[in-house]
Amino acid sequence: MIETQLMAPEAIFGQIAEHQHEQVVFCHDHETGLKAIIGIHNTVLGPALGAPACGTTPPTWKP
């Protein structure tokens, strides 16, 4: 079971600023139960494809 932890909005925006994300997208697909957070660091070169980080890797952010 994956443990979840709620964060105050100030903490979330602090993490975005600390890691210098240009954009962060929170997604939830009710049909499949998918919950995702997508962090985009730089869009200067335009759209790109990447691979998602999946698995049980511990988070690097500090709540």
Side-chain angles (χ1 to χ4, degrees):
M1 178 175 219
I2 297 173
E3 185 177 319
T4 60
Q5 187 173 29
L6 296 177
M7 293 178 63
E10 302 81 27
I12 294 169
F13 286 111
Q15 291 295 323
I16 293 169
E18 180 181 334
H19 295 285
Q20 300 178 346
H21 288 94
E22 185 175 304
Q23 183 178 8
V24 176
V25 180
F26 293 80
C27 308
H28 181 203
D29 183 74
H30 294 281
E31 187 176 324
T32 62
L34 172 71
K35 294 179 181 178
I37 302 172
I38 303 166
I40 302 168
H41 287 276
N42 190 312
T43 59
V44 171
L45 298 177
L49 296 174
C54 299
T56 58
T57 305
T60 57
W61 53 266
K62 304 169 283 300

